[in-house]
Amino acid sequence: MKHQLAEQTELLGLTLVQSISQSANANHQLLTEHVSQFSRLHRYAYIRVQHLDKTLIEKRATQPSTMPKWLANYLSVSSPLFQQSFALAEQEYMVQLQLQASPANNYIYGSFKDVCAVFAFFICFAWFILHIAIRALKAPIDALHQHTNKLANKEFTEAPEIQSVSEMNALMSSHNRMTNQVKELVNELTQRLEHAKNALYRDELTQLGNRRLFCAQFEQLLSDEKNQSGALILVRLSEWETVRRKEGFSVARSFLEDVIYTLQTHSKQGVNARIFRLNDNEFACVLQHVTRDELVKVLSDMASHLARLQGQYQQKKEVLVGAVLWQSGEAMSEVMKAADEAVLIAAKERRKYHLYEPSQRIKKVSDMLATRERVLMAIMNQHWAYRSIA
């Protein structure tokens, strides 16, 4: 507001000086009429025209300020004094112009009152909402407190006695209706929960347990306190993405269904088995309480049938089978690494399947140690050979 008053004062002062300077006649009466007309247009301006040391025209506008004096020190604004000399008909004139700040201060004071009123309204509204919220929170607490006092003082409200058979029948009918509604609600919730479990733990295409369910159940088996043992069979479909992309989804799905049927047929013959689909091209069969000989028989039958199945389809539909025996307490990551190693060995050596046993893991570590000893021996021999030459 103060900046706007300064700009407006400067603009009006320059306009007045320019309009007087453009007058060709230096008649004081015409000059007075010209300034009077200008002051009527701008009635809130103080105008003073001085010729040498003599005041020719002085127009002062007065408007009372509604702003209290104690507030004027903080909120009031004032207009600067515009002052400029100019020559007219070889005579020197001085023009002074200043806008009265009362309208601006009255506007500021009115806006300040409006802001205070809005602020007071919002304070009252907030207090009203807070009061309602406190009462809403306090009501159940008071009811609970009264109920607690009644229980402590054994002030129980007795149920009214049944006066007629019709009232008894109505009560029984209401009870049965509410019981049926509760049963329907429980059944609906059970079905929704089952559907949610199936969506979360089942593969949509094969309806087998997915990787999430496999991790949860297999981890539970390995961490069981009882002395349990079993085997993990890992089946991987090689070049699965190529088959699905080149030969179409129907051929890939038919091959997938045949593989699943083979797994279900040969893994459940007298053995407690669970089949999971870990990825698009990977399956896992978890067998419990199975010996090595039983596992070898299952693998042999399964691999032979899968080999015949691959012959019914075109090339690149290769099925790799690897298995590992596990004991209760082992880490699932180690068992999965061993099963994956078995699949890789079966692919590398072109076998129908490969059984990765703990003794092979120990032998592999021993081979690594023996290799390290041979390297150290060669370094020592080379060192002694250099010393003998020296």
Side-chain angles (χ1 to χ4, degrees), residues 201-202 208-211 213-215 217-218 232 263 274-279 282-286:
Y201 293 108
R202 295 289 174 183
L208 296 176
N210 59 10
R211 191 178 190 89
L213 183 62
F214 165 76
C215 292
Q217 293 188 357
F218 194 47
L232 174 64
L263 297 180
R274 304 178 191 177
I275 303 177
F276 304 91
R277 189 183 187 187
L278 303 185
N279 299 305
E282 198 171 43
F283 297 88
C285 297
V286 180

Side-chain angles (χ1 to χ4, degrees), residues 239-257:
E239 300 293 340
W240 175 247
E241 288 295 332
T242 304
V243 173
R244 184 162 57 181
R245 185 173 59 254
K246 290 186 176 181
E247 301 185 28
F249 179 74
S250 59
V251 176
R253 180 172 181 176
S254 177
F255 180 62
L256 183 69
E257 291 175 350

Side-chain angles (χ1 to χ4, degrees), residues 171-190:
L171 184 61
M172 288 293 295
S173 177
S174 177
H175 175 269
N176 295 335
R177 185 173 61 255
M178 293 180 64
T179 303
N180 293 331
Q181 290 177 356
V182 171
K183 288 181 179 179
E184 292 176 358
L185 179 61
V186 171
N187 292 333
E188 181 183 356
L189 292 177
T190 304

Side-chain angles (χ1 to χ4, degrees), residues 101-117:
S102 298
N105 290 333
N106 293 341
Y107 173 76
I108 293 175
Y109 182 59
S111 301
F112 177 74
K113 290 192 295 183
D114 294 340
V115 170
C116 291

Side-chain angles (χ1 to χ4, degrees), residues 45 118 241 325 367:
V118 171
E241 288 295 332
L325 293 166
D367 292 342

Side-chain angles (χ1 to χ4, degrees), residues 39-100:
S39 64
R40 283 194 298 271
L41 294 176
H42 307 283
R43 57 193 182 90
Y44 295 116
Y46 161 73
I47 302 174
R48 183 170 180 267
V49 181
Q50 185 178 359
H51 175 59
L52 298 177
D53 294 334
K54 181 180 178 182
T55 301
L56 299 179
I57 305 167
E58 186 173 7
K59 297 290 185 181
R60 185 182 300 273
T62 57
Q63 182 182 8
S65 176
T66 58
M67 183 179 295
K69 294 182 178 180
W70 62 271
L71 193 60
N73 297 328
Y74 300 98
L75 298 181
S76 64
V77 297
S78 60
S79 171
L81 178 65
F82 173 82
Q83 181 173 319
Q84 185 173 342
S85 301
F86 68 96
L88 182 63
E90 298 182 357
Q91 295 183 2
E92 192 73 21
Y93 289 89
M94 171 72 71
V95 172
Q96 292 180 342
L97 185 141
Q98 186 176 18
L99 291 178
Q100 187 177 6

